[in-house]
């Protein structure tokens, strides 16, 4: 399948991915020591929800739009706070959340969320191979001395920039799934990256469409025996629909100890708003536990 960020910005899959990203970064920020963020498929950084690509699909309405309209409990809003703060930051004209839900125009990609949720001592590395998208990303990131935008291929980046000087950090892997074999490349990339930096947090996003490919990918990760591997899967409906993207998942290696329970709480609360049949399905569990 072809999953280009601009057409799907702010959709249900972005919500799941960015909630995970924000919770991990919030946890890393609890300690003073610097950490590194590496985004291997960074995209443009900022997306205009009134632009041609986003308007063609309108998917954000069922994602960030649905979240902003949902009657969520204060405890859920608190957990979503870091992510929603990043959304508010790129929509400064919205005076309050009611106005934001009504007049939402821009949505931040993972680079801008990472920028918003890191400190002066942290460092960010964004990889993007498409020249036009990279130029947009460079503009979105702005003159941030903590951040570098590089034309490096994602899988080369995992070899070239690991381990980082910082002992702590996060690698986000979010391929567009344009080419055959992407699941296999992602599994092999994780295995090699973990060998180089066994203490890093790795978060890998994937679409659920070809269930056999997803199952094979998960088996590859299990067979690798990487300890402390958390699996997150979100289905748009109770029963998966063949030949359509019916959900998404993430693999998180070395997750914060709080993450599993936080995601059960958050995604369980968001499922009625994000799902297409009013229920959806959330599964958060260990693919491989701690040794």
């Amino acid at each position: 399948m072809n999953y280009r960020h601009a057409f799907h910005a702010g959709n249900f899959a972005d919500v799941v991915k960015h909630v995970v990203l924000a919770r991990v970064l919030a946890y890393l920020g609890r300690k003073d020591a610097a950490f590194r963020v590496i985004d291997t498929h960074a995209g443009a950084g900022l997306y205009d929800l009134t632009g041609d690509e986003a308007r063609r699909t309108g998917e954000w309405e069922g994602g960030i739009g649905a979240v902003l309209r949902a009657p969520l409990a204060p405890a859920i809003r608190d957990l979503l706070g870091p992510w929603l703060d990043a959304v508010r930051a790129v929509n400064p004209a919205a005076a309050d959340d009611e106005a934001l839900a009504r007049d939402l125009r821009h949505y931040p990609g993972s680079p801008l969320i990472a920028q918003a949720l890191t400190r002066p001592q942290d460092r960010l590395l964004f990889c993007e191979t498409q020249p036009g998208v990279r130029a947009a990303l460079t503009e979105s990131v702005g003159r941030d001395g903590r951040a570098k935008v590089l034309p490096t291929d994602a899988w080369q980046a995992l070899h070239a920039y690991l381990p980082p000087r910082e002992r702590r950090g996060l690698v986000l892997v979010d391929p567009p799934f344009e080419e055959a074999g992407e699941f296999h490349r992602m599994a092999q990339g994780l295995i090699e990256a973990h060998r180089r930096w066994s203490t890093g947090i790795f978060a890998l996003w994937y679409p659920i469409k070809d269930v056999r490919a997803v199952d094979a990918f998960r088996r590859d990760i299990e067979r690798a025996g990487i300890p402390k591997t958390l699996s997150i899967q979100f289905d748009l409906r109770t029963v998966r629909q063949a030949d359509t993207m019916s959900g998404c998942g993430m693999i998180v290696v070395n997750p914060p100890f709080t993450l599993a329970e936080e995601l059960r709480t958050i995604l369980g609360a968001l499922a009625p708003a994000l799902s297409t049949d009013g229920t959806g399905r959330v599964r958060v569990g260990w693919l491989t536990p701690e040794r």
Side-chain angles (χ1 to χ4, degrees), residues 41-65:
H41 299 79
L46 182 65
Y47 300 96
D48 184 353
L49 299 180
T50 68
D52 290 341
E53 294 96 337
R55 289 176 61 188
R56 197 179 305 176
T57 64
E59 290 184 9
W60 68 271
E61 289 278 8
I64 177 61

Side-chain angles (χ1 to χ4, degrees), residues 204-283:
L204 286 67
W205 177 91
Y206 60 87
I208 298 175
K209 182 177 180 181
D210 183 341
V211 177
R212 287 179 297 180
V214 170
D215 289 343
F217 167 67
R218 289 165 57 84
R219 285 194 300 270
D220 285 345
I221 301 299
E222 281 188 278
R223 281 195 290 263
I226 299 173
K228 293 189 289 186
T229 299
L230 186 68
S231 170
I232 303 115
Q233 292 200 73
F234 179 85
D235 290 298
L236 281 171
R237 55 190 68 83
T238 304
V239 179
R240 288 174 178 165
Q241 185 174 332
D243 300 323
T244 64
M245 183 176 163
S246 61
C248 69
M250 294 192 75
I251 296 293
V252 183
V253 175
N254 294 323
F257 76 95
T258 56
L259 188 65
E261 193 55 40
E262 286 180 349
L263 293 180
R264 291 187 187 104
T265 300
I266 296 169
L267 296 180
L270 294 183
L274 296 177
S275 63
T276 55
D277 63 359
T279 55
R281 183 169 57 172
V282 176
R283 289 169 292 173

Side-chain angles (χ1 to χ4, degrees), residues 151-190:
T152 311
D153 172 80
W155 313 118
Q156 293 175 352
L158 292 179
H159 180 79
Y161 300 110
L162 295 181
R165 280 186 299 176
E166 300 82 1
R167 294 185 177 183
R168 304 188 307 136
L170 167 68
V171 176
L172 176 65
V173 183
D174 175 23
F177 287 86
E178 294 177 311
E179 302 176 10
E182 201 78 271
F183 277 109
H184 179 70
R185 276 189 293 275
M186 190 159 60
Q188 293 305 306
L190 171 62

Side-chain angles (χ1 to χ4, degrees), residues 66-77 80 83-84 266 268-273:
V67 172
L68 291 173
R69 296 190 299 270
L72 299 174
I76 303 299
R77 289 282 179 189
L80 293 175
W83 167 55
L84 291 178
I266 296 169
L270 294 183

